[in-house]
Amino acid sequence: MQKTMQALVKAKAQPGLWLEEVNIPKISDNEVLVKIKKTAICGTDLHIYKWDEWSQKTIPVPMVVGHEFVGEVAAIGKNVTNCKIGDRVSGEGHVVCNECRNCRAGKKHLCPYTKGIGVNIPGAFAEYLAIPASNIFHVPKFVNDNIASMFDPYGNAVHTALAFNCTGEDVLVTGAGPIGIMCALIVKHIGARHVVITDINEHRLALANNYPSIIKVNVANESLADVQAKLNMKEGFDIGLEVAGSQNSLNDIVDNILNGGKIALLGLYNSDIKVDMNKIIFKGLDLRGIYGREMYETWYKAVALLETGLNLDHIITDTFNYNDYDSAFEKMLSGNSGKIVLDWY
């Protein structure tokens, strides 16, 4: 096997990424080497590309970045028994300690010592990725490579959408990016009554137009109170899924949810926000923070949803060769895209 590979590296402490020739990672006895076929660009990758305040505090330089991928097993450590060379796989992007209280209790997604692939440790925007064998997830044949490459954010959506029982409920989703739209599709698929998704970006809302079962609302032009009246809703939404990471979006949910309503919080905020805590208290609202995926229940549920007809085909809008990564990031930074995939073969 060759000794070096091409990879997208955060090589300098400044905006941008650099395509470089680096050593193929060596694997330990408990790791797997994956030959990457496709990767998808995440919002986290945009933060790293822009080199914002969070990235400057978090990302070691230099480092290969990226964490959404699909590929084939190219080599296995001597202790690995859960896969073989040639297996088609994706993988959980959070590497946990397996020793803390939460890990030992089967709640690995709450491990306080989590390290993120492509965030804290070398990532998947490369020809090869070394990953613990325990993080490997085998991709069923009926799932195509494009969808498999974005199982990580799809898993975020599954975790968020299934945080509360949405069957027969009215659900408000704030943020019509790929994860928000996936959240809306999931809750509709499992039997929610009315599913409303909001944004102020018309291109994002247009992406949601591919799914007529979802009610699209530009909150810059239409109030959620009017939407409720049109839908003959009496007391407000039952459940809110806050994906936008926006102060206004969170307050929209708080203002338009019924007493005793439930809110799942996935979106990350750029700074401190203001929310009326008295409304949360007097309404008796249940707020739950969502980070990553439940390992590994979310992965199995994600496959089951696809197997039963969940359609995510319109979520991916663009595919680029990895050599053209700057154009891919520019397109994503414009806000005029859905999910973007990079080909590595």
Side-chain angles (χ1 to χ4, degrees):
M1 179 185 288
Q2 66 197 70
K3 294 183 179 180
T4 63
M5 65 179 183
Q6 290 196 302
L8 293 180
V9 181
K10 192 66 183 180
K12 304 173 186 178
Q14 64 188 54
L17 293 174
W18 289 263
L19 184 62
E20 295 188 349
E21 195 81 11
V22 301
N23 290 330
I24 292 176
K26 296 180 179 180
I27 58 172
S28 71
D29 292 343
N30 297 308
E31 288 185 319
V32 170
L33 186 68
V34 178
K35 169 66 174 168
I36 299 296
K37 297 177 68 177
K38 289 176 180 280
T39 57
I41 300 174
C42 174
T44 301
D45 301 320
L46 286 185
H47 287 289
I48 297 170
Y49 188 87
K50 292 187 292 184
W51 200 235
D52 61 13
E53 184 178 350
W54 170 85
S55 299
Q56 293 173 34
K57 294 178 180 178
T58 308
I59 308 301
V61 176
M63 187 185 71
V64 178
V65 298
H67 57 275
E68 302 179 10
F69 71 94
V70 65
E72 293 182 352
V73 175
I76 60 175
K78 68 178 184 180
N79 294 337
V80 174
T81 59
N82 65 333
C83 58
K84 62 183 185 301
I85 293 174
D87 283 356
R88 182 165 165 263
V89 298
S90 183
E92 169 60 50
H94 290 166
V95 179
V96 298
C97 74
N98 290 311
E99 295 178 357
C100 70
R101 177 176 178 176
N102 280 322
C103 282
R104 288 168 63 86
K107 297 182 287 187
K108 293 185 177 184
H109 62 290
L110 298 176
C111 174
Y113 308 109
T114 297
K115 293 182 179 180
I117 290 172
V119 175
N120 310 112
I121 56 179
F125 284 174
E127 293 182 272
Y128 291 92
L129 168 70
I131 185 172
S134 58
N135 283 55
I136 285 294
F137 187 83
H138 289 80
V139 179
K141 291 182 179 179
F142 70 85
V143 179
N144 66 52
D145 282 346
N146 278 345
I147 299 298
S149 73
M150 65 167 195
F151 253 53
D152 181 293
Y154 170 43
N156 289 340
V158 173
H159 190 186
T160 306
L162 301 186
F164 303 110
N165 184 0
C166 295
T167 304
E169 304 284 45
D170 296 323
V171 181
L172 174 61
V173 183
T174 53
I179 293 180
I181 294 173
M182 287 191 284
C183 283
L185 292 172
I186 292 163
V187 295
K188 192 65 180 179
H189 185 74
I190 63 174
R193 186 175 71 151
H194 298 306
V195 180
V196 174
I197 191 166
T198 66
D199 211 302
I200 56 174
N201 183 323
E202 283 293 347
H203 185 90
R204 289 287 175 90
L205 290 167
L207 181 62
N209 281 335
N210 291 302
Y211 302 100
S213 64
I214 303 171
I215 300 163
K216 281 70 66 175
V217 176
N218 187 328
V219 288
N221 305 324
E222 186 175 9
S223 76
L224 285 170
D226 290 341
V227 172
Q228 289 183 61
K230 290 178 183 178
L231 297 176
N232 198 30
M233 292 169 52
K234 302 298 184 185
E235 298 180 29
F237 291 90
D238 303 289
I239 292 170
L241 308 179
E242 210 297 275
V243 184
S246 158
Q247 172 178 288
N248 291 339
S249 296
L250 178 55
N251 282 300
D252 279 346
I253 295 177
V254 172
D255 288 341
N256 290 277
I257 200 167
L258 54 65
N259 285 14
K262 300 173 175 61
I263 304 174
L265 301 163
L266 178 70
L268 296 177
Y269 302 92
N270 291 327
S271 60
D272 292 340
I273 65 170
K274 293 182 179 180
V275 62
D276 191 336
M277 292 301 299
N278 287 334
K279 288 182 180 178
I280 292 173
I281 293 166
F282 285 124
K283 284 190 170 186
L285 302 183
D286 184 352
L287 276 64
R288 183 179 301 178
I290 304 292
Y291 177 60
R293 297 142 300 280
E294 287 188 334
M295 293 178 265
Y296 288 84
E297 184 68 7
T298 295
W299 289 81
Y300 295 110
K301 289 186 183 298
V303 168
L305 289 166
L306 293 172
E307 196 170 16
T308 54
L310 181 68
N311 180 5
L312 304 180
D313 291 344
H314 299 293
I315 299 295
I316 297 170
T317 57
D318 301 272
T319 301
F320 292 82
N321 184 273
Y322 73 90
N323 287 287
D324 200 17
Y325 69 93
D326 268 325
S327 296
F329 274 88
E330 288 171 11
K331 181 69 179 288
M332 198 159 174
L333 285 166
S334 74
N336 296 325
S337 72
K339 202 68 179 171
I340 294 179
V341 171
L342 299 176
D343 282 333
W344 287 85
Y345 60 93

